[in-house]
Amino acid sequence: MDVYGGDRADARALHHSGARTACRVVRRIEGGKAMNWTSPAEFFAMGGYGQYVWGSFGVALVVLCAEWLLLRQRRQAALSQVKRQLILREEESR
């Protein structure tokens, strides 16, 4: 596979015999240059793939927030259960 090296995106490990040929999987970006966006709208559009990119970020954010909330709820439930058990043990020892 191609790796980004310096000012171009076609630097290859030349010490390996199979690495001297261009990778067919990686497509060259327009003229071999890095991606540049001229406006915020162009950045968010992501060349027509923005709905998939930002949708993926949104789903990941929702899942992470849900995990955080559920974890917080489970922690509070566990703490209250431990507190109840301590109170019961204290009452039994009297």
Side-chain angles (χ1 to χ4, degrees):
M1 290 187 66
D2 290 347
V3 294
Y4 184 78
D7 61 339
R8 55 184 197 181
D10 61 350
R12 290 179 192 81
L14 299 177
H15 64 279
H16 189 273
S17 62
R20 289 185 176 86
T21 59
C23 180
R24 293 181 189 170
V25 175
V26 179
R27 285 186 286 164
R28 285 189 145 229
I29 300 170
E30 197 176 321
K33 296 180 182 176
M35 291 185 207
N36 289 320
W37 295 282
T38 57
S39 69
E42 203 174 301
F43 171 75
F44 290 113
M46 292 279 177
Y49 296 102
Q51 62 186 3
Y52 305 110
V53 172
W54 299 115
S56 298
F57 275 109
V59 168
L61 182 64
V62 166
V63 168
L64 287 173
C65 288
E67 178 66 23
W68 178 75
L69 289 172
L70 290 170
L71 186 61
R72 186 174 160 201
Q73 181 184 13
R74 280 182 253 148
R75 180 182 182 271
Q76 288 176 351
L79 288 175
S80 65
Q81 183 180 2
V82 168
K83 197 179 225 181
R84 273 186 263 129
Q85 288 176 352
L86 287 173
I87 291 171
L88 286 174
R89 284 185 188 168
E90 194 175 285
E91 288 177 358
E92 286 176 358
S93 66
R94 287 185 190 182

